[in-house]
């Protein structure tokens, strides 16, 4: 906008002055002179630069909207990842992992009591299922916290959990 103001003022003529003084060795005299000049913008009134500056302002305004939309899209995507992985991790923590752990403990107890009815392969399969469920839970936690970091980066926060504001002095 400052450039636009400058370009609009450019056609206003400035008075240019210069002075000179010299010594003529042949005539043995000093010479002094003053020049005054004014540019008259008859045909070129800087219209091209004025329009260019106005176009740059319009492009910057449009870029601002595009940048805002891009940031909002990235923010929504990161928050969506956070929220969905938070729900997944919560379900694994509260329902899936306890069920797999109970099933594994039950298979191990039954294998210890009735080794002829439950094979060792059943114990290994139950243990592998529990480990896969635990891996899925940890993956959901990792993705959730990566989304938290992405949100902090988009918000340009220095800390994930900034300290609370101190209470106002009485």
């Amino acid at each position: 906008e400052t450039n636009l103001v400058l370009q609009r003022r450019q056609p206003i003529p400035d008075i240019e002055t210069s002075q000179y003084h010299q010594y003529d060795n042949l005539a043995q005299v000093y010479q002094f002179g003053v020049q005054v000049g004014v540019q008259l913008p008859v045909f070129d009134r800087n219209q091209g630069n004025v329009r260019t500056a106005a176009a740059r302002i319009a492009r910057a305004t449009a870029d601002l909207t595009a940048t805002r939309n891009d940031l909002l899209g990235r923010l929504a995507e990161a928050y969506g990842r956070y929220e969905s992985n938070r729900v997944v991790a919560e379900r694994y923590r509260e329902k899936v992992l306890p069920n797999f752990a109970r099933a594994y403990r039950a298979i191990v107890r039954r294998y210890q009591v009735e080794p002829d009815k439950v094979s060792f392969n059943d114990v290994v399969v139950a243990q592998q299922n529990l480990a896969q469920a635990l891996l899925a839970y940890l993956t959901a936690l990792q993705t959730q916290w990566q989304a938290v970091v992405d949100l902090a980066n988009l918000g340009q926060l220095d800390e994930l959990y900034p300290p609370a504001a101190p209470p106002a002095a009485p």
Side-chain angles (χ1 to χ4, degrees):
E1 290 177 355
T2 304
N3 187 28
L4 179 61
V5 171
L6 174 70
Q7 297 305 327
R8 284 185 177 153
R9 290 186 183 170
Q10 203 76 15
I12 299 173
D14 287 333
I15 297 176
E16 298 175 8
T17 61
S18 64
Q19 63 179 357
Y20 66 91
H21 60 347
Q22 63 188 17
Y23 181 74
D24 189 356
N25 286 333
L26 187 62
Q28 301 282 327
V29 293
Y30 281 102
Q31 296 179 353
F32 299 96
V34 176
Q35 293 179 345
V36 177
V38 175
Q39 291 183 357
L40 295 176
V42 177
F43 295 106
D44 180 22
R45 291 178 301 192
N46 208 23
Q47 292 174 353
N49 289 337
V50 169
R51 289 183 180 152
T52 301
R56 285 183 180 162
I57 291 172
R59 184 176 59 223
T61 303
D63 287 348
L64 178 66
T65 304
T67 302
R68 182 181 299 127
N69 289 341
D70 178 54
L71 284 174
L72 283 175
R74 291 192 298 172
L75 182 71
E77 185 270 331
Y79 184 74
R81 278 189 294 125
Y82 165 76
E83 189 61 28
S84 65
N85 284 295
R86 184 191 63 78
V87 169
V88 168
E90 181 180 324
R91 287 192 181 147
Y92 265 95
R93 183 176 49 251
E94 293 178 0
K95 295 180 181 180
V96 175
L97 288 177
N99 287 340
F100 274 110
R102 260 193 313 277
Y104 173 69
R105 283 194 300 270
I107 294 267
V108 168
R109 270 186 262 138
R110 186 157 182 220
Y111 176 74
Q112 291 169 346
V113 174
E114 301 172 333
D116 54 333
K117 292 186 178 179
V118 177
S119 70
F120 186 71
N121 285 341
D122 295 335
V123 173
V124 171
V125 168
Q127 188 177 31
Q128 286 177 342
N129 290 340
L130 178 60
Q132 286 176 351
L134 186 59
L135 181 64
Y137 170 67
L138 292 175
T139 302
L141 281 179
Q142 178 199 8
T143 308
Q144 174 189 355
W145 287 106
Q146 182 61 48
V148 168
V149 170
D150 292 344
L151 285 169
N153 283 340
L154 287 170
Q156 297 180 351
L157 301 176
D158 292 333
E159 297 182 23
L160 288 178
Y161 298 105

